[in-house]
Amino acid sequence: MDDPVSVAGRLKGISGFVLVDCRGRVKGHNLGAPGSLSKLAFSCGRRLAAIGKENFRYACFSRENGEDILIFPVGNDYLGVVKLKGIKNSEVASAVLEAFQATAG
Amino acid sequence: MIIFCEDCGEKNDLDPSDLASGRADFKCIRCGYGNSFPVKMPEKGSAAGGFLEKILSFSEIIGAFFFHRTNGVVAWRMPGRLTLDDLGYLGAGLADSYEAGVSCDSGIRAMTTVISDKHLRVHRIGEYGYLVVISASGSLPDSVSEYIAALEQGAENG
């Protein structure tokens, strides 16, 4: 099974990612300063996972600059990605879900 | 007024006069189930109720409700399977998540959460209010987006 950080590093259509564990600790990233995104991924990921339980697939935060942020549950961790402007959220979401599903399988 | 079948979730458009007794008694237009349950009518002329009626007229929209930090769920048009307590729990959780996002990035303007195959879109309306729209797909009809933008603008202008 591939390391989730390596899988995230190969994702297309994003400008950066951060993977945090269930306590908010950063497990890997490719950003200059992952603090803000890691905090968002952890605080929102765990709240939304509490609501959706195992049916929580992902969340998307729309931003004024078009570089939306998507949060995914990955096992017991949370992945936050920053989408490149001009790419559909649904395309990035499908790519991430597929990548991690393939890894799990 | 749109009322959801408790059995299959189909939207049934009932005449408000049919609900005057405070109960919805009707056979579902899709599955024929005999529904009979209490309904809480919005206040007459309620702007929130009118807004929900308007966006629920689009087939892509499954349901919607307004949540307020202090007052809880203040207006709703949702499938009958969800109780008011369910909606309150959902509204509070989504509002908390939205605010957690904004506290990390002030450029955030909306949040969409995908649970199973439902898209739950959250917009903040004013200082303490939130509109939650549930749809089958991630993109809302243009008209619905325009209605929401106008609502947000109206709240900002007081």
Side-chain angles (χ1 to χ4, degrees), chain A residues 35-85:
Chain A
S36 177
L37 183 58
S38 65
K39 189 178 164 197
L40 195 158
F42 171 64
S43 60
C44 297
R46 68 191 176 102
R47 283 184 168 92
L48 295 169
I51 294 172
K53 306 283 189 299
E54 67 275 10
N55 294 316
F56 169 49
R57 298 182 68 206
Y58 67 93
C60 172
F61 290 87
S62 305
R63 296 203 292 178
E64 284 175 341
N65 63 8
E67 296 173 354
D68 297 346
I69 294 170
L70 288 86
I71 309 293
F72 299 83
V74 176
N76 292 324
D77 304 332
Y78 300 106
L79 175 72
V81 304
V82 180
K83 185 205 73 167
L84 288 171
K85 193 174 180 179

Side-chain angles (χ1 to χ4, degrees), chain B residues 99-142:
Chain B
E99 293 305 333
V102 172
S103 73
C104 297
D105 188 325
S106 59
I108 287 171
R109 288 294 170 265
M111 177 186 84
T112 303
T113 303
V114 182
I115 297 175
S116 295
D117 57 349
K118 307 288 189 297
H119 293 67
L120 291 74
R121 192 174 176 90
V122 181
H123 290 262
R124 184 162 62 192
I125 309 296
E127 198 170 354
Y128 302 109
Y130 301 86
L131 168 67
V132 180
V133 179
I134 294 94
S135 61
S137 74
S139 55
L140 298 177
D142 289 344

Side-chain angles (χ1 to χ4, degrees), chain B residues 68-108:
Chain B
H68 188 276
R69 281 278 180 206
T70 308
N71 303 327
V73 179
V74 292
W76 67 97
R77 295 289 184 280
M78 292 291 293
R81 283 162 284 190
L82 291 174
T83 67
L84 205 50
D85 285 344
D86 293 336
L87 286 186
Y89 173 76
L90 184 60
L94 292 173
D96 285 348
S97 300
Y98 178 94
E99 293 305 333
V102 172
S103 73
C104 297
D105 188 325
S106 59
I108 287 171

